[in-house]
Amino acid sequence: GADEPARESPADDSSEKGGGDKDVTAGQSRRLGRGSIFTSKDVRRQTVVIAKKAFSSVASVGLGLGYLAYLRVRHREQNDPNSCTPFVVHGGKALTRELLSRCPSLQREYELPKWCTNTHAQTLIGYGRMFTIFLEYDRQLVRCADGGQVGLDWLVKARFTPPARPPSTPEEAANRAVVPHNIPAACDLPDDAPVFIMLHGINGGSHEGPSKWAVATGAVRGWRCVALNMRGCNGVPLSNAKVYCAANAEDVRTAVNACKSRYPSAPILLAGYSLGTYVIGTYLAEENSHGRDPVAGAVLVSCPLDPHSSHAGLNRDAGLVYNGAITAELRRYYRKHVDVVGHVGGAGFSAKLIRDFERELIVATHGFDSVEEYYHYFAPQRIIPSIRTPTLYLLAMDDPFLGEHEQCEAAIRGSSHVALAHVRKGGHVAFLEKGVGVFGPCWTDKVLGEFLASTLAPRSAAARAVDKALPPVNPQNKDRISRSVFGAQWKQKPNGGGKSALLKQGGVGSLGALGEDGRARL
C-alpha cells in the first residue's frame, strides 16, 4: 500500500562492501534489518562519539578528584603535616650563628613516619630502637670523689659486622651513613680522636636505643665513643647511699676527668637525653662558672626545660601514666640497692610518685632542704647564663615531659654560647624519621653529629672574639654555681625560696638581675 514503509533493498547493503549509504530525504524513514545495528556505519559513528564523550567525562571527573586530593594533601602538609620545620632560638652572637649554620639538618624539614605521628606513639615506639643495633662495649669502673662509682662503657666495635676503616677527612666522616658496617674498631683510632661521652636518662644505660644510636653516630665520624652509666644504673654497683640525681654533676665530672687522663690530647664532647640533660647542664655551669672549660661542645636532647611545670604535668591526664611507669623504675632501683640505701628510705619505703622518691631519697642524701630547692638548683633557666661551652638543646614541642619553655628561651636569648632548636612533633627522646623508623638514626642523632662536629672545626675571627669578649670569671664572686653559695642564698629567700620568689628577670631562675657579662647573679 501507499502507507507501507519502504523496505531496505539488497543494494543498500553495498555500504558494508565499501559503498556509502544513500541519503535519506525528509519524510522518508529507514527500517533496519535484523542484526544490522552492529554493522551500520552511522550507528558505529554514534557509538564512537558517545564513547569519546563518556571517556572525556570520566577523565574530567578523575582529574578533578585527583586535583582535590592533591589540594587536600598539600593542605595537610602545610597545616597538620608529617613534616616539621626546625625553629632555632639563640642570642644572635657570631659563635652560635656560625655553629648552627654548619648543621644542614636544622635548615631542612624533619619528616615523621605517617604511621607514627602521635606524641605518645613516638615516645613508646622510640624505645624499640634498642633492638635494631648491637654494639660491643668494654666496661671501666671509676670511683668518684664523693665515694660513688660510675661505669664507662667504651665502644669496641659493632657486633656481627666487620669493622670499617676510620674516616680520613671530616668530609668523608660527614657523608658516611650511620650503619653498623661503617663503624670502625676503637683500636684503629688515633690517640687524639675526639672522645664522645653519651649519658642516659632515668634508670637507663648504654643498652638503650637512644644511647646506642647516638654512640653509633659518633663512631661513624671517627670519634672514640663511651656510654656513661651513672651510679647504680645498668649493673654499676652503688657504693654509697648517695643515689644519682639531676643536681649531682659528680658522675659526669668523673667521666670527663677519666677520659682526659686516658686520652689527654683528645677533645671531649658531651651529649645526653632526658634526665641526663640536667646532669650535663649542671656540670657545664659548675665548671664554666669557675673558669674551667674541659668540654668542646654539648648536645642535650629532650630536656624538660622547667622541672616545676614538667612534674606538675605528670600529675594529670596522660602524665599520670608516665609518672607511674617512672616511679615503678625508681622503686626497682631502690629494691636493687636496698642494702645500701635502706637506712635512708626505711623499711616502709614505697614511693607512689616521682616526687615521693625525690623527697625521701634524693633530698635526704644530697643535702637539700626540700624538693623545690632540689628542682631549682638544676633548672635550665638558672644555669644557662653560666654556661660558656657551645651547647645545643633539642626538643619537640609535643614532648609530654616538656613543661613551660618561655623562661628558658629568655635565658638562651641572652646567652652567647647556648642555642635551642625545636620541632612541633617528635615525642620524648624519639624523633623517628620517615623511611627510617626504629631501624636507624633519628633526627636528633643527625643534628647531634653535625653540631658537635662544628664545635671541632676551625672558627672565624668573629666567633673567636665572642669568647674573648667575655670577662674572666672571678672565683670570689657570687656568680659561680656552687652548692655552698646556692644553699646560703636559697635560705635567705622569703618562704623558703618558693618558685614565685625565684623566677624573676625574664624567667632566669633565682638569678635576679643580670651582670654586665650577661650572667645572672645569685
Side-chain angles (χ1 to χ4, degrees):
D3 296 333
E4 184 178 356
R7 295 182 179 275
E8 191 176 26
S9 63
D12 292 336
D13 293 338
S14 60
S15 60
E16 299 179 4
K17 300 180 181 179
D21 290 339
K22 293 182 178 180
D23 294 336
V24 180
T25 59
Q28 290 181 327
S29 63
R30 175 179 294 173
R31 182 174 181 179
L32 301 176
R34 182 178 297 178
S36 63
I37 186 172
F38 298 106
T39 59
S40 177
K41 189 173 182 179
D42 58 344
V43 173
R44 284 184 297 161
R45 186 183 298 112
Q46 293 297 324
T47 303
V48 171
V49 171
I50 294 174
K52 288 182 178 180
K53 290 183 178 180
F55 178 79
S56 300
S57 301
V58 172
S60 300
V61 172
L63 289 174
L65 293 176
Y67 183 67
L68 291 176
Y70 165 75
L71 292 179
R72 182 183 179 186
V73 170
R74 186 174 181 181
H75 176 75
R76 291 182 60 187
E77 288 180 351
Q78 292 177 347
N79 296 278
D80 181 28
N82 298 324
S83 60
C84 306
T85 302
F87 186 83
V88 181
V89 179
H90 58 88
K93 302 296 183 180
L95 176 61
T96 50
R97 289 202 313 268
E98 182 173 304
L99 296 178
L100 294 173
S101 67
R102 299 172 180 171
C103 301
S105 296
L106 294 179
Q107 302 169 23
R108 57 174 176 259
E109 290 189 340
Y110 152 59
E111 295 189 62
L112 292 84
K114 292 183 179 180
W115 51 270
C116 191
T117 59
N118 179 268
T119 176
H120 305 298
Q122 278 264 338
T123 302
L124 298 177
I125 296 175
Y127 281 95
R129 299 169 68 214
M130 66 185 298
F131 303 109
T132 58
I133 188 170
F134 304 94
L135 305 176
E136 181 179 335
Y137 293 111
D138 181 25
R139 174 160 294 185
Q140 175 189 6
L141 295 178
V142 185
R143 182 72 64 176
C144 303
D146 61 359
Q149 190 172 224
V150 298
L152 300 180
D153 284 349
W154 294 89
L155 176 66
V156 178
K157 63 181 181 65
R159 290 189 176 182
F160 312 125
T161 57
R165 63 171 181 81
S168 56
T169 62
E171 292 74 17
E172 180 186 356
N175 294 326
R176 274 192 175 185
V178 182
V179 290
H181 63 262
N182 278 341
I183 297 178
C187 60
D188 296 334
L189 299 176
D191 290 341
D192 61 349
V195 177
F196 170 54
I197 305 174
M198 185 66 195
L199 182 58
H200 58 82
I202 293 180
N203 273 27
S206 60
H207 64 287
E208 291 188 318
S211 287
K212 293 201 291 185
W213 278 106
V215 165
T217 300
V220 166
R221 288 180 174 267
W223 302 342
R224 194 181 306 276
C225 299
V226 55
L228 168 59
N229 302 282
M230 290 189 284
R231 58 188 70 193
C233 295
N234 195 24
V236 176
L238 187 64
S239 55
N240 61 17
K242 210 170 192 179
V243 298
Y244 76 94
C245 74
N248 183 23
E250 194 59 39
D251 290 7
V252 176
R253 183 174 293 108
T254 301
V256 172
N257 293 340
C259 293
K260 292 188 78 69
S261 299
R262 191 167 178 175
Y263 300 100
S265 60
I268 305 295
L269 304 171
L270 280 177
Y273 57 88
S274 195
L275 180 129
T277 62
Y278 289 147
V279 183
I280 293 177
T282 302
Y283 166 76
L284 294 176
E286 290 178 353
E287 293 296 306
N288 295 162
S289 62
H290 286 78
R292 298 186 292 266
D293 192 16
V295 177
V299 173
L300 308 179
V301 180
S302 292
C303 175
L305 296 181
D306 178 43
H308 295 86
S309 60
S310 174
H311 282 75
L314 294 179
N315 292 324
R316 60 178 180 268
D317 302 330
L320 287 171
V321 178
Y322 294 106
N323 201 330
I326 294 174
T327 305
E329 284 293 309
L330 294 175
R331 285 199 301 265
R332 185 172 65 86
Y333 179 91
Y334 176 82
R335 289 193 299 268
K336 184 176 181 180
H337 305 294
V338 67
D339 56 332
V340 180
V341 298
H343 66 284
V344 180
F349 176 82
S350 179
K352 294 184 171 65
L353 297 173
I354 299 175
R355 195 179 180 90
D356 299 335
F357 182 90
E358 294 168 335
R359 181 180 61 252
E360 298 183 32
L361 276 185
I362 294 178
V363 168
T365 59
H366 288 270
F368 291 102
D369 289 340
S370 63
V371 175
E372 285 72 22
E373 179 185 353
Y374 164 64
Y375 284 174
H376 192 69
Y377 183 76
F378 64 82
Q381 62 262 33
R382 187 185 82 90
I383 65 176
I384 283 175
S386 294
I387 295 178
R388 296 186 175 187
T389 297
T391 303
L392 176 63
Y393 284 83
L394 296 173
L395 53 91
M397 299 306 291
D398 66 347
D399 189 335
F401 297 86
L402 178 59
E404 298 174 0
H405 57 90
E406 292 81 4
Q407 297 172 352
C408 193
E409 288 189 7
I412 290 175
R413 288 191 177 95
S415 172
S416 58
H417 289 74
V418 182
L420 163 69
H422 60 73
V423 289
R424 290 188 303 105
K425 295 184 177 181
H428 185 70
V429 199
F431 301 93
L432 304 182
E433 277 202 286
K434 178 181 178 181
V436 179
V438 299
F439 298 99
C442 64
W443 177 73
T444 54
D445 293 330
K446 296 180 179 179
V447 181
L448 177 151
E450 294 166 357
F451 182 81
L452 293 181
S454 69
T455 63
L456 300 174
R459 298 175 185 172
S460 64
R464 293 195 302 270
V466 173
D467 286 328
K468 296 180 181 179
L470 293 175
V473 176
N474 181 2
Q476 302 300 324
N477 66 19
K478 292 184 179 181
D479 281 351
R480 61 184 181 179
I481 305 294
S482 66
R483 285 293 304 278
S484 58
V485 175
F486 174 81
Q489 294 295 330
W490 176 273
K491 291 177 176 57
Q492 293 177 7
K493 296 292 180 181
N495 301 324
K499 181 183 177 184
S500 60
L502 294 168
L503 300 182
K504 303 293 184 182
Q505 293 295 329
V508 189
S510 65
L511 301 170
L514 294 176
E516 294 180 357
D517 58 354
R519 298 172 61 226
R521 305 195 178 280
L522 284 168

